[in-house]
Amino acid sequence: MKILVTGGAGFIGGNFVHYMLKKYPNYEIFCLDKLTYAGNLSTLESVIDNPKFTFCKGDIADSKYIDKLFSENKFDIVVNFAAESHVDRSIENPQIFLHTNVIGTGVLMDACRKYGNIRYHQVSTDEVYGDLPLDRPDLFFTEETPIHTSSPYSSSKAGADLLVLAYYRTFGLPVTISRCSNNYGPYHFPEKLIPLMISRALANESLPVYGNGLNVRDWLYVEDHCRAIDLIIHKGKIGEVYNVGGHNEKSNIDIVKTILKLLGKNEDLITYVADRKGHDMRYAIDPTKIHNDLGWLPETKFEDGIKKTIDWYLNNQKWWKDIISGEYKDYYSKMYGNK
C-alpha cells in the first residue's frame, strides 16, 4: 500500500505519518508539504531515514508539480491534511486560504482522477458547521447539520468539502470526508491555544485570552483522530462524511487554568484581550455515526491527554523553542540542502 499524506509536516498530518509508519511497517508513506510557516520538517526527524518514508517538498495547488508526483508514483490512497488553518490569519489574508484549501483540493482530486481514480480522503473541520449556543448543551453537530461558516478559514474548508462531494457525484471519485473537533497533543504549532499557553506559562509571560474566555470547544487527542482516519480510509463508506469528536467540551478559560495548575503557575498570568471577529461560541460534535459504522470511540480523556501533552512540551523544548525563534525553518536546508 502506498499512501500520500499531504500536509504531513504539520501538526495532525505529522502525527498521522508517525502513526501509520508504526502501525503499518510495510506501507510506503509519502509526505508532501510546502513547509510554509506551520510546516516543520523536524516534526518528522525520527522517520526521515525510514526506508518506507519519502518526503516531498511542494504545493498541492501547483498542478504541474502534482501531476509529475502522481505520474512517478502509483498511490493507492491520498489523505489531504494540507491546509491553511489559523482563523486569525484567514481574517488578515483570506486569499491564501482560498488558494490552498479550495484550489489545492481540486488539483489533488484531478490528479486522483487522472491516475487511476485513486481513493481520496479529505480532512476537514467542525468549523464548517458554524457554532452552537452556550445555553443549549443538548445540541451537537451531526453530519446532517447545515454548513454555516463564520470565517474565511471555515468558508474555504466548507468550499473544499462541497467540491469533494461534487467530484464523487459527478465523476465517481472514491472519496470520504472527516470533520474533527479541536485537536491537541504533540507537535502542535505554538500559535495555537494549548501550546501557546504552555510555552508562555513556562516563560512566566502573560497568557492572552480572547473576550471572557467562555467559548467552548470539543477537544480531541490527536492520536484518537489518527485512529479515526485510519478506520475511514480502510473501512469507511465511499461518498460519506464522518464527524470525529472527543466528547471533551471545555471552555477556553478552563483550559488555560488547567494548564497553569498543572505547571504550578499563578492565574495572575491570565490577560483578557479584545475578542476575535466573528468568534464562534461553542463547537460540539456527535460522533455516533463513526462509532456505529466503524466502531470508533475516543480513548483519551482530556484530563489524561492534557497531562501527556504538557509532558511532551516539557521534554521537547528545543522543538517549540526553535519554532518561536524561527530556527525551525533552517531544518529543511540542513537535511536536504546538499542532496
Side-chain angles (χ1 to χ4, degrees):
M1 185 76 75
K2 186 180 288 189
I3 300 179
L4 174 64
V5 179
T6 69
F11 166 43
I12 307 176
N15 275 279
F16 186 71
V17 168
H18 285 287
Y19 171 92
M20 293 298 285
L21 286 169
K22 182 178 180 180
K23 183 171 181 181
Y24 302 102
N26 293 322
Y27 281 18
E28 290 184 65
I29 305 296
F30 282 69
C31 169
L32 171 64
D33 203 290
K34 190 179 179 181
L35 295 181
T36 55
Y37 79 96
N40 185 359
L41 195 60
S42 63
T43 295
L44 303 170
E45 184 174 8
S46 65
V47 300
I48 288 291
D49 295 325
N50 187 323
K52 293 292 186 179
F53 176 76
T54 302
F55 179 78
C56 309
K57 185 174 186 292
D59 183 354
I60 62 169
D62 182 343
S63 57
K64 290 184 179 179
Y65 177 86
I66 294 298
D67 187 82
K68 184 174 184 292
L69 181 66
F70 275 67
S71 68
E72 294 175 350
N73 300 279
K74 295 182 179 180
F75 298 118
D76 297 293
I77 302 174
V78 174
V79 183
N80 182 27
F81 291 92
E84 296 286 347
S85 64
H86 196 269
V87 173
D88 291 345
R89 289 176 183 264
S90 80
I91 294 171
E92 293 297 320
N93 191 347
Q95 293 300 318
I96 295 174
F97 286 71
L98 298 176
H99 176 76
T100 299
N101 298 357
V102 180
I103 301 300
T105 296
V107 168
L108 286 173
M109 290 193 297
D110 282 339
C112 287
R113 289 178 57 217
K114 181 177 179 179
Y115 292 99
N117 225 35
I118 299 167
R119 175 76 168 85
Y120 179 89
H121 180 72
Q122 177 78 359
V123 180
S124 188
T125 170
D126 59 356
E127 294 190 41
V128 301
Y129 297 124
D131 64 350
L132 297 166
L134 291 177
D135 60 356
R136 289 294 305 277
D138 57 311
L139 296 180
F140 295 88
F141 296 136
T142 71
E143 290 81 0
E144 284 71 45
T145 300
I147 286 174
H148 186 69
T149 59
S150 303
S151 69
Y153 161 61
S154 58
S155 297
S156 68
K157 292 296 288 184
D161 286 4
L162 293 173
L163 192 63
V164 171
L165 294 175
Y167 269 59
Y168 168 65
R169 294 188 63 178
T170 303
F171 304 116
L173 187 70
V175 307
T176 45
I177 297 172
S178 57
R179 292 172 178 156
C180 67
S181 55
N182 283 42
N183 280 223
Y184 69 105
Y187 302 111
H188 204 174
F189 200 75
E191 73 179 355
K192 301 289 187 171
L193 177 67
I194 288 177
L196 178 67
M197 297 303 149
I198 294 172
S199 63
R200 292 186 69 88
L202 288 173
N204 292 310
E205 297 175 339
S206 64
L207 275 56
V209 175
Y210 279 128
N212 55 17
L214 297 180
N215 306 71
V216 171
R217 300 294 181 261
D218 174 21
W219 291 93
L220 175 66
Y221 193 63
V222 66
E223 187 173 341
D224 286 338
H225 187 194
C226 292
R227 285 193 304 104
I229 295 173
D230 176 20
L231 281 169
I232 293 169
I233 62 175
H234 286 100
K235 299 179 180 179
K237 184 179 178 182
I238 299 303
E240 292 294 313
V241 176
Y242 293 94
N243 282 351
V244 185
H247 278 311
N248 284 304
E249 287 187 56
K250 304 287 181 183
S251 69
N252 289 347
I253 191 61
D254 284 343
I255 294 285
V256 174
K257 289 180 178 180
T258 296
I259 291 170
L260 287 171
K261 182 179 180 180
L262 290 172
L263 289 174
K265 301 290 184 176
N266 196 295
E267 291 183 7
D268 291 345
L269 290 174
I270 297 172
T271 302
Y272 293 93
V273 298
D275 208 355
R276 168 191 289 161
K277 296 177 182 178
H279 200 176
D280 289 336
M281 289 308 300
R282 173 176 171 255
Y283 302 147
I285 273 185
D286 179 357
T288 298
K289 179 178 177 179
I290 190 172
H291 172 59
N292 289 343
D293 291 2
L294 303 178
W296 179 90
L297 278 176
E299 295 180 355
T300 309
K301 295 180 179 179
F302 184 80
E303 291 72 19
D304 299 324
I306 192 64
K307 290 177 182 176
K308 289 197 291 185
T309 300
I310 289 174
D311 285 344
W312 188 90
Y313 278 88
L314 287 172
N315 293 325
N316 293 272
Q317 295 196 35
K318 184 180 187 307
W319 182 88
W320 54 266
K321 286 181 177 179
D322 281 353
I323 292 175
I324 293 173
S325 70
E327 291 181 15
Y328 77 105
K329 294 179 180 178
D330 298 330
Y331 188 82
Y332 178 83
S333 298
K334 182 178 75 174
M335 291 299 299
Y336 291 97
N338 297 319
K339 296 183 181 180

